[in-house]
Amino acid sequence: MSTPVPSWITASWERLWVINNNQGPPENTVNVRNIQTPTLFGDCRIPKDRPAFPNAHSLADLSNAELTTLYPQEGFAGYTTTEGYIITWHHEIDYQPPDGSIDIGRFEILGGRNVLEHGVQASYLEHWWRLEDAGGYFLGIKVMRNQGHGQQRVHEILSVAGDHFIYARNRPFDLPMANNLADLIKKEKYTRKQILAVLDCEVSHGFVLGGRQPWEVQFSTLPFKENQPLEFAQRIQVDPRTGQLTERKLAPDLIWSVPVNTLGIEDLLVLFPPA
C-alpha cells in the first residue's frame, strides 16, 4: 500500500458512459465519481433515477418501498495497486456485498482528459473524464476500529484530490457473499431493523471548498446527507505547529492514520479551521 500509483491516474474522475458485456449502446444512467490519491481511492455510484427524499433525516424516515430504491447503489473505498496499465482497486469498504470478483481494469489513455477502462475479469468498457487536475494536492485519511484481541477493521476512509473528495464509512459488520444487495436482503429475509443496519453504510462525493458551503456532499448512498456539510470533516483538527491531523474528540477504539498528505499547514488550517 505504500507504493504510489502513477501520476496519470491521480485525479478526480467522472464516468461518462459504460458498455456492459461489450454489446449495446453506451449507458449513462448512474452518477459515477472516483477520487484517486497516490494510494487511497474512493468511488461513489448513485443511479440518476434514485429519489432525493428531501424530507428524510435518517434511513428510519423512509418506508420499506423507499428503502428498496437504495439497494442498487454502489460505493467503495480502499487502496489501489498498478502493474503497468493494469489497475486493481482493493475494496476495504463496500456498500454492496462481496461477490468473489476482483475489481481490476486495463486503462487506455486517450487525448486530453479522457481514458478508457477495459474490464479484465468482467466484460465492460468505461469512458472516464478527468474532472480536475489535482495539482499535486492530495489528502488521504484512514480510520481503523479496534475490535479487541488485536483485531482491527477499516472504519472510515477519506480521499481528497484537489477540490473533490469521497468519504466512506463502513458498517460495523461484514456482509455475506451475494450477487448484490437486493439478492442478499431477499435471500436472508432480513427484517426492517436488519435492512436499516445493512443500508447504514455511507459513501459520499462532494466538493472541498467549491460547493455552496465547505465540504458539501453532492452524491451519497445516504440521500439525507446530500447538500449537507460532511460531518467527518468537522471532526478533524490540525496542530498549527506540526500540521498533524487528529480527531477533535478521539474515540478510544479508533486509530487514525494519514497515509497521504501533500498539503501545507496553511492549507490544512483553511480546510479544517479551529473550532
Side-chain angles (χ1 to χ4, degrees), residues 1-228:
M1 181 176 167
S2 60
T3 303
V5 300
S7 59
W8 53 261
I9 195 177
T10 53
S12 54
W13 299 90
E14 176 183 0
R15 193 182 73 183
L16 299 182
W17 51 255
V18 60
I19 299 175
N20 288 306
N21 300 315
N22 293 328
Q23 59 185 6
E27 298 179 0
N28 186 21
T29 61
V30 180
N31 289 310
V32 181
R33 300 291 187 271
N34 179 282
I35 302 297
Q36 180 63 64
T37 77
T39 54
L40 298 178
F41 83 95
D43 195 298
C44 181
R45 307 185 176 205
I46 308 299
K48 293 184 176 181
D49 61 357
R50 190 210 68 188
F53 304 118
N55 297 321
H57 300 285
S58 70
L59 290 172
D61 292 333
L62 304 182
S63 67
N64 291 344
E66 290 172 333
L67 290 175
T68 64
T69 66
L70 308 184
Y71 295 177
Q73 302 178 136
E74 295 181 76
F76 36 92
Y79 65 97
T80 307
T81 58
T82 65
E83 185 175 346
Y85 291 98
I86 303 296
I87 315 296
T88 304
W89 296 272
H90 304 265
H91 297 197
E92 296 181 294
I93 298 175
D94 204 328
Y95 184 81
Q96 291 287 329
D99 62 4
S101 65
I102 299 174
D103 191 359
I104 182 171
R106 177 178 60 83
F107 269 42
E108 177 185 353
I109 301 177
L110 305 178
R113 298 155 70 174
N114 302 271
V115 299
L116 294 178
E117 179 188 340
H118 302 261
V120 173
Q121 280 204 340
S123 297
Y124 66 83
L125 176 64
E126 294 179 324
H127 183 183
W128 292 91
W129 170 265
R130 189 174 65 249
L131 288 169
E132 175 192 25
D133 187 337
Y137 296 107
F138 299 103
L139 180 65
I141 298 175
K142 178 181 286 190
V143 182
M144 308 291 292
R145 183 178 292 280
N146 191 344
Q147 297 184 301
H149 307 289
Q151 300 296 315
Q152 297 179 1
R153 185 171 183 269
V154 178
H155 179 54
E156 296 167 293
I157 294 176
L158 175 68
S159 299
V160 179
D163 194 48
H164 293 258
F165 72 84
I166 286 181
Y167 165 77
R169 174 184 54 79
N170 214 350
R171 306 173 181 87
F173 54 89
D174 293 332
L175 297 180
M177 290 188 64
N179 291 327
N180 53 58
L181 202 55
D183 284 356
L184 174 65
I185 291 172
K186 181 179 180 180
K187 176 186 175 183
E188 299 295 333
K189 299 180 180 179
Y190 287 145
T191 64
R192 175 178 169 85
K193 182 178 180 180
Q194 291 173 316
I195 292 173
L196 292 175
V198 166
L199 295 178
D200 189 20
C201 174
E202 179 182 354
V203 182
S204 296
H205 165 268
F207 303 100
V208 178
L209 295 180
R212 294 168 296 181
Q213 55 191 322
W215 295 96
E216 184 176 59
V217 173
Q218 180 187 27
F219 303 117
S220 180
T221 55
L222 300 178
F224 49 89
K225 299 284 188 179
E226 294 179 352
N227 303 314
Q228 301 297 319

